[in-house]
Amino acid sequence: MERSMHLLLLVAHLTGVATGQTSETIVGTLGDSVSLPCHGIPSNGTRSVVRWLKDGKIAASRNLSSMAGPTGNVHFSVSDQGSLTISGLLLSDQGIYSCNDSVPNHTAEKQTDIQLLIANGPSNMWTDIKPTVLLPNGALFVQKGSDVSFNCSSESYPSQALSWVFQGDTSNSSLLSSSDRSPLEISLLNIQPNHQGTYSCISQNMLSNRTASKSTSLLVYYAPDRHPECFSHAINDSLHLLLHCSWSGSNPLPMLHWEEEPGAHGTRPPVLNVSMTTESLEVTLNRSQLYNGQTMRCKAYNNMVKSEAKFCSITLQSPFPQGNPLVTAVEGSDITLTCTENSSLPPAKTTWRRKISQEEVVPGAKYVISELGPTFSLKIINLTKEDEGPYFCRSENPVLVQELEVFLTVKSSQTYAGGVVGAFIAALIIGIGIAVGTSAYRNRDRICLGKVILIACIIISS
């Protein structure tokens, strides 16, 4: 506000009981200037002597008919229009002011009394929020769960109203107000993230309605109680490994650090040592930096919060496909080759290849490739002798490539038929032998002895 001629008309026209005059109230600011109008001077050009009274005593006067300038001291001066100017207002300038004039052949009019009140402030505002830490940008921060006290004070005359107001991201509210009590203190227990925002102390002069405020940005810092999340997967045809670590829900942003497990690399330099202030950190490694059983660890922490660091880790595993290495089938039939791979990390990509040249098997009318959980199947339709030979279940991840060789033998249908007939004859012979032996055993009480001239039949009774 301007500090020259600062006038505030707060109360318009109070009725005087004793004199019947109308009283006007003007509020001035301590140290400023104020002008009090004199309404009784005639407007017909007749000059007069104007006198200003304060509480019934002459404070200043001026002969308006004189060519001389305003009379009086520096503090009080009367203008050409008869108004009284008071410079550098003091508290002692409060009082009832009136003016009168002396004009030849003019009856003085009753003058309006003017009540001058002096206001000062609000000024020298002071706030204190604790326990907090001051940041370089002027904001304050406090840890989640803390008990925080807010204090505010200011100077104001003759009285003031103090209040604390909160403005958050989603809500505004008045926390506490008081009349003419300084300092004003409030407390927030177990402060939470929704208490983060701007806290303003507002002081209002009850006489002048002049206001002043002081605002402070309060941040609530915290770190998640849970561990970060780690995962990995193969990229660029399984030639590279992508490691991902994330830890959301921290204020301010946390520090994430990917590293090879301390001590695991021995005397060689670690292949991984990357840090960044972020909620999510990804790094890429090539196959030459990896080996089976290697452990990569992500460390997450918030430097602004007193809490222990959190960890997650990934232990790399090379693939190991398993299955039956020898398979025999008959020409003209269908056969399904299978292998199982469930030990790799990151999960391996598994494909089927054939022949020593390891041609990749392409799905179509001849070959049907399927996957069910960890089991990978290759179905070969209408086998021929050309289908005989080695097949490879090839599993690859960024750590290693491993293969299971399955040799397929295809037998012709004639060979298969001869084998069936031979098996039938052998079974028939065995069956006849069993029948003869059984009959002889049942007639074991008849034994015949023969000679050239004598045949005796002895019946042996049991």
Side-chain angles (χ1 to χ4, degrees):
M1 294 185 180
E2 297 182 0
R3 297 189 58 82
S4 62
M5 306 300 293
H6 179 65
L7 301 178
L8 293 173
L9 300 175
L10 296 183
V11 181
H13 304 303
L14 299 176
T15 302
V17 177
T19 64
Q21 293 176 288
T22 300
S23 178
E24 183 180 346
T25 299
I26 293 179
V27 177
T29 300
L30 186 68
D32 285 356
S33 298
V34 68
S35 181
L36 309 181
C38 183
H39 301 294
I41 298 177
S43 59
N44 57 7
T46 304
R47 311 300 285 176
S48 65
V49 176
V50 177
R51 294 181 180 85
W52 275 94
L53 305 179
K54 175 182 179 290
D55 298 329
K57 297 180 181 180
I58 296 178
S61 65
R62 181 184 176 189
N63 186 350
L64 298 182
S65 62
S66 172
M67 298 300 295
T71 61
N73 56 35
V74 177
H75 191 56
F76 293 102
S77 62
V78 180
S79 69
D80 292 343
Q81 290 75 34
S83 61
L84 175 65
T85 299
I86 307 175
S87 301
L89 283 171
L90 304 172
L91 291 178
S92 59
D93 291 327
Q94 290 189 128
I96 304 297
Y97 289 81
S98 62
C99 70
N100 59 49
D101 64 329
S102 59
V103 180
N105 303 319
H106 175 260
T107 303
E109 299 179 359
K110 286 185 178 294
Q111 299 301 309
T112 300
D113 289 339
I114 299 175
Q115 183 181 25
L116 177 62
L117 300 176
I118 306 299
N120 184 37
S123 61
N124 298 326
M125 289 202 70
W126 168 85
T127 60
D128 182 36
I129 303 175
K130 59 184 180 181
T132 55
V133 177
L134 179 64
L135 296 171
N137 63 358
L140 302 175
F141 82 84
V142 64
Q143 291 199 39
K144 174 185 173 183
S146 301
D147 297 339
V148 183
S149 65
F150 299 77
N151 281 279
C152 170
S153 68
S154 73
E155 296 177 0
S156 187
Y157 179 85
S159 63
Q160 66 178 336
L162 284 172
S163 60
W164 273 107
V165 175
F166 168 69
Q167 181 177 4
D169 295 335
T170 59
S171 64
N172 301 325
S173 60
S174 178
L175 301 178
L176 184 65
S177 298
S178 72
S179 178
D180 201 26
R181 189 182 77 188
S182 181
L184 175 64
E185 180 178 1
I186 61 173
S187 295
L188 289 180
L189 306 180
N190 190 26
I191 197 165
Q192 296 299 308
N194 61 320
H195 294 137
Q196 178 171 290
T198 301
Y199 290 82
S200 301
C201 179
I202 301 175
S203 174
Q204 181 180 24
N205 189 298
M206 300 302 290
L207 177 60
S208 66
N209 286 332
R210 193 174 184 179
T211 62
S213 65
K214 186 173 182 180
S215 299
T216 302
S217 178
L218 180 65
L219 305 175
V220 179
Y221 284 174
Y222 51 90
D225 293 330
R226 67 182 184 281
H227 290 281
E229 297 179 354
C230 291
F231 68 82
S232 64
H233 62 84
I235 58 175
N236 299 334
D237 294 329
S238 297
L239 296 177
H240 292 83
L241 173 70
L242 178 69
L243 296 174
H244 178 93
C245 177
S246 61
W247 200 43
S248 60
S250 175
N251 186 31
L253 288 175
M255 177 69 72
L256 299 183
H257 177 66
W258 269 114
E259 62 183 353
E260 190 174 3
E261 188 175 44
H265 50 81
T267 57
R268 65 170 174 80
V271 299
L272 181 59
N273 188 15
V274 179
S275 296
M276 186 177 295
T277 301
T278 179
E279 283 190 342
S280 178
L281 179 59
E282 290 185 344
V283 295
T284 302
L285 300 173
N286 60 49
R287 181 170 290 170
S288 64
Q289 298 172 292
L290 309 175
Y291 61 87
N292 186 48
Q294 187 178 21
T295 298
M296 306 298 187
R297 185 176 75 166
C298 178
K299 177 182 179 181
Y301 57 97
N302 190 328
N303 283 326
M304 309 301 288
V305 178
K306 296 178 181 178
S307 62
E308 294 183 355
K310 307 293 184 180
F311 299 90
C312 63
S313 62
I314 293 175
T315 299
L316 304 179
Q317 298 291 337
S318 59
F320 186 67
Q322 302 179 74
N324 188 358
L326 299 175
V327 177
T328 301
V330 178
E331 189 176 15
S333 65
D334 299 340
I335 188 67
T336 299
L337 310 180
T338 62
C339 78
T340 302
E341 201 295 303
N342 58 2
S343 62
S344 59
L345 190 68
K349 177 182 179 182
T350 300
T351 58
W352 282 96
R353 298 172 185 255
R354 63 187 296 264
K355 298 183 178 180
I356 298 300
S357 59
Q358 291 204 0
E359 302 172 5
E360 186 168 354
V361 177
V362 179
K366 181 67 175 179
Y367 302 106
V368 178
I369 297 176
S370 60
E371 176 183 347
L372 182 60
T375 302
F376 302 86
S377 302
L378 171 62
K379 184 177 182 180
I380 307 173
I381 308 297
N382 192 17
L383 284 171
T384 66
K385 289 295 289 185
E386 293 181 356
D387 294 322
E388 187 174 77
Y391 289 79
F392 299 91
C393 178
R394 186 177 190 269
S395 294
E396 178 181 10
N397 73 356
V399 182
L400 199 63
V401 178
Q402 293 276 49
E403 295 176 341
L404 168 68
E405 182 179 350
V406 180
F407 193 89
L408 173 62
T409 301
V410 179
K411 292 187 176 182
S412 66
S413 57
Q414 293 179 352
T415 303
Y416 179 76
V420 171
V421 171
F424 174 76
I425 293 174
L428 182 60
I429 293 173
I430 293 173
I432 292 174
I434 292 174
V436 171
T438 301
S439 176
Y441 177 79
R442 288 177 177 176
N443 296 284
R444 63 184 182 277
D445 57 337
R446 296 175 178 269
I447 301 176
C448 294
L449 302 175
K451 293 184 179 179
V452 177
I453 59 174
L454 175 67
I455 296 177
C457 224
I458 303 174
I459 299 176
I460 305 173
S461 58
S462 56

